[in-house]
Amino acid sequence: FKYRVVSVSSYRRASRGLWTSVQRLLATTGGTDSQLPPFPSQARVVICGGGIVGTSVAYHLAKLGWTDIVLLEQGRLGAGTTRLCAGIVSVAKPISVECQMANYSLNLYQQLEEETGVKTGYANTGSLCLAQNQDRLLSLKRLASRLKVLGISCNVIKSKAVAKLHPLVNIHDLVGALHLPDDAVVSPPDVNHALAVAAAQHGVQILERTTVQQVLVENGHVMAVETDRGSIECEYFVNCAGQWAYELGQASEMKVSIPLHGCEHFYLLTKPLPENLSANNPVVLDMDGRVYVRNWQGGLLSGGFEKNPKPIFTEGRNQLEIQNMQEDWDHFEPMLSSLLRRMPGLESAEILQLVNCPESFTPDMRCLMGETPGVSGYFVLAGMNSSGLAFAGGGGKYLAEWMTYGYPSTDVWPLDIKRFGNLQSSRTFLRHRVMEVMPLLYDLKVPRWDFQTGRQLRTSPLYDRLDTQGARWMEKHGFERPKYFIPQGKDLLSLDQSKTFYKPDWFDIVGAEVKCCKEAVCVVDMSSFTKFELTSTEGEALDLLQHLCANDLDVPVGHIVHTGMLNKRGGYENDCSVVRLSKNSFFIISPSDQPVHCWSWIKKHMPSDPNLHLEDVSWKFTALNLIGPRAMDVLAELSYVSMKPEHFPSMFCKEMSVGYANGIRVMSMTHTGEPGFMLYIPIEYALHVYNEVMSVGQKYGIRNAGYYGLRSLRIEKFFAFWGQDLNAFTTPLECGREFRVKFDKDMDFLGREALVQQRHDGVSRRFVMLVLEDHDTELDVWPWWGEPIYCNGRLAGTTTSSAYSYTLERHVCLGFVSTPPGPDGLPTPITPDFINRGDYEVDIAGQRYSAKAKLYPFSSLFTQQKRRKEDLELSNLQAK
C-alpha cells in the first residue's frame, strides 16, 4: 500500500448528510439543532440510544401499535458506532437465533427504501467465507446445514469457484468456501436514518442532545427517566446505549448489570482502485486470516479481529460522542499483511483512511436482550459484538414482541440477559474476557471449547482436591465443573490441546468413567446446580409452587417431584426437582445456568407476602452425585443405614449422617437414569464427606467422573435437559412428559389452558431419540448438536443433543421431529406410528447418515442383544 492519507473522508460526508436529513426530520416536529422540540413530561416507553439498535426498537414498537414512544440520544442521531460501522450484513453466525436475526435484518433493510423513500445503500453482493484448512471447511459445512434448515440459501464451493466470484482473491492456499448469495452491504447511517424517519412517521418522538442520567424505580418497577433536561414518567425503559449501556445500568437508582466492554476496532479505506471492480463483488470473510473485505465507493474497506485487541473505556464514560480515535498502524500491521496475502493485487492501492472505532463485546460473544431480572419494565438490547448492523433489525423485532406479548416469536434464551448475573459485572473480568472474545469471533471453534479468562471465579470446596487428581475443567455460569479426569501417565498437554470435529482424544477416558458408573460407583461434583429454598409460615409456599409447577407438589414430606415451571404457552421456563423438606418448606434444584432466570421467574409470580420467603442457597451446599450399583454399599457403610430400595425408595430424600457429618440431604436420584444418590452437603462438611466416600469406596472400585460421562449416560437414557433440549417453546406433551402434568387435579397452574388445548388438538412435533446406524465413530465427523434431521427425505427437525453411547457402541442424537403440514398448510398431529415407520437420516456437515428413531430409550433393547451376542460367541468358542 502507498501510505497516503486523504484529509477528508467521504465516509464523514455521508455522516454529515445523515445529520442534514435528521435536521429536516426534527424540523417537521418543530425542532432544530438550535431550537429543540418540546420536552415531554411522560411517555409509555423511553428508549435511550439513537443508533441503529435504538431506532430499530422504536420502529418495531411503533409498527406493533405502541404510542407515546420517546427516543433519547445524548448527541446526534447515529453519531456513535453506527456512523463508523463497516456496513456488512451477513447471516454467517454461529447459532441459529443469530442467523434468524441477521436474515430478518437483510429483508428489512431491503424494503426500507420503498417504505420510507430514504436510500439505504443496500446492495446484494453476497459473501464468501473462506477456508484455509479442512477443519474450517468442516465448520462451514456444519453452518451450511443449519442455514438450510432456516431456508437460507448457501452453497459450499471449491476454491476455483471463489476466483470466479471475486477476481482479487488469491486462492492458492484455500480448500473451499461457503457462498452466501443473499448477504448484502448497506450504508449504516442511511439505514439508521430510514428507521428514524419510519419511526417518526408512526409517532415516535426523537430528542437529540438529551442525556439520560438515571432510571428511577419504585417497588421494583420503572417509574421515570431522569435526564439533563428534566424527568419523563414512563412504564418502560429500553437501554440501547451501546458503549455506555454498562455505565447507564450502574448509574440507575437500582443498579442493573449489563455485562459488556468496549474494544478498539480497526479497518482501512482505500481510494478507488485502478481496475474497476464490480459493485456486486461479494464480501470476503477470511476468518483464518482474521480479515474481512468489502467494496467501498470504488475502493475497498477491510478490517479484522486481531489476536491482541485493545480494550477501552474501562474507567467508564469519558466522552459525549464517539469521535474517530487514533490510528495505530503498528497494531493493524498483522491484519494488513493478511489482507495483502489474500489480495496481492492491492500492493499499489492508496489508503484513504485507517478508521479506529469502538465496538462493545459481551462475555460469551452473544448480544444482550430482554427484561432485566431486578427491575420490571427495564429492557436491554446492547452488546452486539461487532454485528450491530446484522442484529439490529431482528433484535429490534424480537425485543418489541417481547415487550408487547410477554415473549418473542422464537427462542432467544442464548441471548437473554438473564443468562448473566452480577458476578459477570466486574470491570476487571469484563476487560480480560473481551480481550479473549474479540479474537474468538474469527477463531475456529470446535465443539466443547472453553473460555480461558475469568476462570476459577466460583469453585466447589473440592476444587483443589479434584484438580490434583487430574480433573480437567469447564465452566458454567462462572462455576468450575470437571469434564473428565486424566489418569496418571497420560500426556496432559496433548489432551488439553485436543481440538477436533472427529473422535476426541478423551474418548477412552470418558468411556472408562461411564463403565465405572454402570459396574461399580463413581463420584461427580455437581455443586454448580442452582439451589433455592422456599418457605412459609402456613401453606403459601405450596400454593405458589402449585401455581408455578405443572406437576403436583402436594406430596408427603421427603418426596422428590420432577416438574417443569411453564409459561402461559405451556413451554418450559424451568425444569427442576423439588423436595418437600417439611410441610411448608421446599428445596428447589435447577440447572446450573438458571440462577438468575429461575429466581426472576419465581419472584415475578410471588405475592408480596411477609410470610413467604425465597432464598438462594446454592453457596450453602456442595452436591456430590454417587452413581452406580455399588453406591448404596458405600453410603450404607458410612451411615449404618440400609440404602436398599425397600428402605430408601426412588425419588426420596432423607436427612442423614455420613461419616462424622450430620444434616446431609441424601436423595435417591442421579439425573442420569442410573442407580445412585445425590448428596447435598453443608459446605463446611464437604471435604470430610468426600474423603470418607473415596476411602470407603476403594473396595468397591470407586473413581471420580466428570460431566462428559454424565452427558453420555443421560442421552442414552433419553433424558432431556433444559437449555439444550427444552426451552420456553417446548411443552411437556411434545417431549413425552404428559405424566408429569397434573391434568387429573382440579387446580389451575401456569400453562394449563395451553396444554389442555394442545392435548385436544394433538402435538405436531415430538422429542425423539435417534441412533446412527451407518456412522463410523473412528473415521466420520461426529454429531454434536444442531444437525438437521430428515424423515423420508423431508427436513423434519434438528438435533438438540448428541453423544456417543458406550453402552450401545453407537452415536445417539436427541431432537425434535415434526409432521409435514396438511393440505390447508396447518401442522398435522404426529403419532407414534409416524415416528416408528419413518426412514430417518441425520445430516452431519453435509453428509447424511441413516438413523433409527424411537420414543423410548434403546438401552435395554441393545443391552439384551449385546448379551445374547456375547453368549453366542462364548458358546461357539466352547464348541471349538
Side-chain angles (χ1 to χ4, degrees):
F1 277 91
K2 295 180 181 178
Y3 291 87
R4 186 163 67 86
V5 178
V6 177
S7 59
V8 180
S9 167
S10 54
Y11 204 67
R12 290 186 177 279
R13 288 200 297 273
S15 299
R16 288 201 295 273
L18 167 65
W19 172 232
T20 302
S21 301
V22 169
Q23 284 183 306
R24 295 195 200 104
L25 175 65
L26 293 176
T28 64
T29 60
T32 66
D33 188 29
S34 58
Q35 179 186 343
L36 294 172
F39 190 77
S41 60
Q42 62 182 28
R44 187 180 181 196
V45 55
V46 173
I47 302 167
C48 175
I52 197 166
V53 174
T55 54
S56 176
V57 172
Y59 168 83
H60 285 94
L61 284 174
K63 293 280 278 189
L64 288 175
W66 284 56
T67 56
D68 295 329
I69 302 171
V70 173
L71 187 149
L72 305 178
E73 165 56 43
Q74 65 173 341
R76 295 177 176 179
L77 201 67
T81 300
T82 296
R83 175 174 63 93
L84 300 172
C85 179
I88 300 170
V89 188
S90 174
V91 295
K93 304 301 176 187
I95 58 175
S96 292
V97 66
E98 292 181 338
C99 297
Q100 291 172 262
M101 288 165 61
N103 194 46
Y104 175 85
S105 296
L106 275 172
N107 296 325
L108 173 66
Y109 302 158
Q110 187 175 15
Q111 57 91 27
L112 265 179
E113 186 171 328
E114 180 180 346
E115 180 180 344
T116 64
V118 177
K119 292 187 179 298
T120 61
Y122 181 93
N124 176 211
T125 61
S127 69
L128 291 166
C129 300
L130 308 182
Q132 295 184 27
N133 54 68
Q134 291 298 329
D135 276 347
R136 176 68 71 181
L137 188 61
L138 265 178
S139 72
L140 294 177
K141 289 178 178 179
R142 287 170 54 83
L143 174 60
S145 295
R146 293 201 302 273
L147 291 175
K148 288 175 181 177
V149 170
L150 301 173
I152 297 173
S153 176
C154 61
N155 297 286
V156 176
I157 61 176
K158 295 183 178 180
S159 55
K160 289 183 179 179
V162 172
K164 293 179 181 179
L165 289 167
H166 202 303
L168 290 181
V169 175
N170 175 16
I171 65 170
H172 80 281
D173 60 343
L174 299 183
V175 296
L178 177 64
H179 181 217
L180 299 158
D182 296 331
D183 281 359
V185 296
V186 297
S187 167
D190 291 332
V191 172
N192 193 65
H193 177 205
L195 287 168
V197 168
Q201 289 172 347
H202 284 84
V204 176
Q205 186 173 0
I206 300 173
L207 300 175
E208 296 183 300
R209 301 196 179 281
T210 305
T211 301
V212 175
Q213 295 174 330
Q214 66 171 333
V215 178
L216 304 180
V217 178
E218 188 174 278
N219 297 323
H221 197 286
V222 169
M223 181 186 72
V225 175
E226 194 173 89
T227 78
D228 58 351
R229 296 177 59 195
S231 295
I232 306 175
E233 293 183 4
C234 60
E235 299 175 50
Y236 299 91
F237 176 74
V238 187
N239 185 336
C240 300
Q243 292 290 325
W244 318 124
Y246 175 93
E247 283 74 19
L248 181 56
Q250 295 296 301
S252 297
E253 193 173 46
M254 284 184 63
K255 289 187 177 182
V256 174
S257 176
I258 304 173
L260 56 78
H261 196 291
C263 274
E264 296 182 20
H265 179 58
F266 297 89
Y267 63 80
L268 62 79
L269 305 169
T270 75
K271 293 185 69 176
L273 302 177
E275 62 275 22
N276 291 323
L277 288 175
S278 167
N280 292 321
N281 278 136
V283 172
V284 175
L285 306 174
D286 184 4
M287 290 176 280
D288 295 315
R290 298 192 167 278
V291 293
Y292 59 81
V293 189
R294 60 155 288 192
N295 291 355
W296 185 81
Q297 298 187 6
L300 292 175
L301 179 156
S302 178
F305 298 97
E306 62 274 28
K307 290 185 177 181
N308 57 332
K310 299 170 67 175
I312 49 173
F313 306 146
T314 304
E315 296 79 14
R317 181 192 252 170
N318 58 10
Q319 58 186 35
L320 180 62
E321 293 184 31
I322 300 171
Q323 303 298 331
N324 190 33
M325 296 177 291
Q326 294 297 311
E327 296 178 344
D328 190 338
W329 283 103
D330 289 338
H331 190 79
F332 190 74
E333 194 278 332
M335 287 178 284
L336 179 59
S337 298
S338 182
L339 172 63
L340 294 177
R341 283 193 298 272
R342 185 55 54 215
M343 296 183 175
L346 296 180
E347 285 283 356
S348 60
E350 294 186 6
I351 292 175
L352 184 67
Q353 186 178 4
L354 179 63
V355 178
N356 179 0
C357 66
E359 292 278 4
S360 57
F361 299 86
T362 63
D364 63 358
M365 297 182 291
R366 298 173 185 170
C367 75
L368 305 170
M369 178 191 295
E371 189 173 21
T372 60
V375 182
S376 178
Y378 192 124
F379 285 81
V380 174
L381 185 58
M384 294 296 166
N385 299 282
S386 202
S387 293
L389 182 65
F391 293 157
K397 173 182 181 286
Y398 290 150
L399 192 74
E401 291 173 344
W402 203 329
M403 296 174 67
T404 304
Y405 308 118
Y407 48 87
S409 55
T410 193
D411 176 42
V412 296
W413 168 248
L415 314 177
D416 193 331
I417 192 170
K418 289 187 286 293
R419 71 190 188 273
F420 294 122
N422 288 329
L423 65 92
Q424 286 96 359
S425 65
S426 157
R427 290 304 271 176
T428 302
F429 165 79
L430 290 171
R431 181 181 176 90
H432 291 175
R433 175 56 66 85
V434 300
M435 291 175 70
E436 179 183 12
V437 159
M438 190 170 170
L440 274 172
L441 291 173
Y442 273 13
D443 276 353
L444 178 66
K445 293 176 284 296
V446 299
R448 303 191 189 178
W449 59 273
D450 301 296
F451 286 109
Q452 301 303 309
T453 55
R455 298 297 295 270
Q456 299 184 31
L457 185 59
R458 302 171 68 208
T459 61
S460 158
L462 305 178
Y463 178 85
D464 289 338
R465 185 88 162 82
L466 299 179
D467 196 56
T468 59
Q469 296 181 74
R472 285 299 173 264
W473 302 94
M474 59 182 181
E475 64 98 6
K476 177 79 79 169
H477 200 73
F479 208 112
E480 298 294 329
R481 314 197 305 177
K483 295 186 287 189
Y484 49 82
F485 288 76
I486 299 178
Q488 289 185 352
K490 286 282 186 179
D491 185 343
L492 307 187
L493 185 60
S494 66
L495 275 167
D496 286 344
Q497 294 178 345
S498 172
K499 297 179 180 180
T500 181
F501 290 101
Y502 292 88
K503 178 182 175 181
D505 288 348
W506 44 256
F507 179 83
D508 292 332
I509 294 174
V510 173
E513 293 179 4
V514 169
K515 180 178 170 62
C516 187
C517 286
K518 289 183 169 293
E519 298 178 357
V521 57
C522 281
V523 58
V524 186
D525 186 348
M526 301 182 70
S527 302
S528 63
F529 272 163
T530 300
K531 302 173 278 289
F532 297 133
E533 284 188 4
L534 182 68
T535 58
S536 62
T537 54
E538 298 294 337
E540 297 88 354
L542 177 61
D543 292 342
L544 175 60
L545 289 176
Q546 291 287 58
H547 174 65
L548 287 175
C549 298
N551 211 341
D552 186 11
L553 270 297
D554 193 5
V555 295
V557 171
H559 281 247
I560 305 169
V561 177
H562 195 90
T563 182
M565 291 185 182
L566 311 181
N567 52 41
K568 290 182 179 180
R569 304 183 309 279
Y572 282 91
E573 292 292 340
N574 183 20
D575 184 42
C576 57
S577 299
V578 182
V579 185
R580 192 167 194 175
L581 299 175
S582 67
K583 183 179 179 181
N584 298 316
S585 178
F586 297 84
F587 188 60
I588 304 169
I589 306 160
S590 296
S592 302
D593 55 357
Q594 274 229 333
V596 179
H597 178 73
C598 184
W599 175 275
S600 176
W601 185 255
I602 295 174
K603 294 292 284 186
K604 180 179 179 179
H605 297 92
M606 190 171 165
S608 180
D609 187 338
N611 297 320
L612 191 60
H613 181 63
L614 179 68
E615 182 184 3
D616 186 345
V617 295
S618 301
W619 62 275
K620 289 185 176 182
F621 293 93
T622 296
L624 292 183
N625 194 350
L626 265 64
I627 306 176
R630 306 312 299 266
M632 66 175 68
D633 298 313
V634 174
L635 279 181
E637 194 167 327
L638 281 169
S639 62
Y640 293 95
V641 173
S642 173
M643 305 301 291
K644 294 181 179 179
E646 55 266 29
H647 299 112
F648 205 125
S650 177
M651 299 299 285
F652 196 74
C653 174
K654 291 181 182 179
E655 196 167 280
M656 299 169 51
S657 298
V658 178
Y660 297 153
N662 291 316
I664 312 301
R665 294 175 182 173
V666 180
M667 304 178 192
S668 50
M669 63 177 186
T670 62
H671 304 284
T672 64
E674 299 296 330
F677 301 88
M678 285 292 304
L679 278 62
Y680 285 88
I681 309 161
I683 203 162
E684 63 270 26
Y685 299 146
L687 193 57
H688 167 75
V689 171
Y690 173 79
N691 288 339
E692 289 295 298
V693 166
M694 294 302 287
S695 176
V696 170
Q698 292 303 312
K699 70 180 76 169
Y700 302 108
I702 198 168
R703 66 178 292 166
N704 292 299
Y707 274 79
Y708 283 11
L710 287 178
R711 183 182 179 87
S712 175
L713 290 168
R714 72 94 176 169
I715 286 178
E716 72 177 25
K717 287 293 177 68
F718 203 12
F719 275 32
F721 269 26
W722 194 93
Q724 298 174 46
D725 310 299
L726 310 179
N727 59 40
F729 286 79
T730 309
T731 73
L733 278 63
E734 294 169 345
C735 59
R737 294 185 173 188
E738 185 172 347
F739 67 96
R740 291 178 179 166
V741 180
K742 51 193 173 196
F743 284 122
D744 58 332
K745 301 292 182 180
D746 186 21
M747 63 178 66
D748 195 21
F749 59 88
L750 273 176
R752 180 186 176 92
E753 185 177 341
L755 294 185
V756 169
Q757 186 64 47
Q758 188 180 51
R759 188 165 65 162
H760 175 268
D761 297 340
V763 297
S764 58
R765 66 171 190 155
R766 279 298 301 267
F767 191 55
V768 298
M769 179 179 189
L770 299 125
V771 175
L772 301 188
E773 296 190 310
D774 59 350
H775 181 269
D776 189 324
T777 303
E778 298 290 333
L779 301 177
D780 292 331
V781 180
W782 277 28
W784 297 95
W785 60 272
E787 291 84 12
I789 302 170
Y790 290 86
C791 177
N792 301 328
R794 181 192 67 88
L795 179 65
T798 56
T799 65
T800 53
S801 295
S802 299
Y804 181 81
S805 168
Y806 295 88
T807 305
L808 311 183
E809 298 180 351
R810 303 185 192 187
H811 257 98
V812 177
C813 302
L814 308 182
F816 287 90
V817 298
S818 60
T819 54
D824 55 1
L826 298 175
T828 55
I830 196 167
T831 63
D833 188 61
F834 175 87
I835 300 294
N836 294 328
R837 290 180 179 272
D839 291 325
Y840 288 89
E841 295 174 300
V842 176
D843 181 327
I844 307 174
Q847 178 71 39
R848 294 189 190 181
Y849 298 87
S850 62
K852 191 70 175 175
K854 288 291 182 183
L855 293 168
Y856 56 86
F858 278 75
S859 311
S860 55
L861 173 64
F862 274 86
T863 301
Q864 292 170 9
Q865 291 177 344
K866 186 178 178 183
R867 285 174 181 168
R868 284 199 294 268
K869 180 181 177 182
E870 290 171 349
D871 291 343
L872 181 62
E873 290 174 349
L874 180 60
S875 62
N876 290 339
L877 183 64
Q878 290 172 340
K880 292 177 180 178

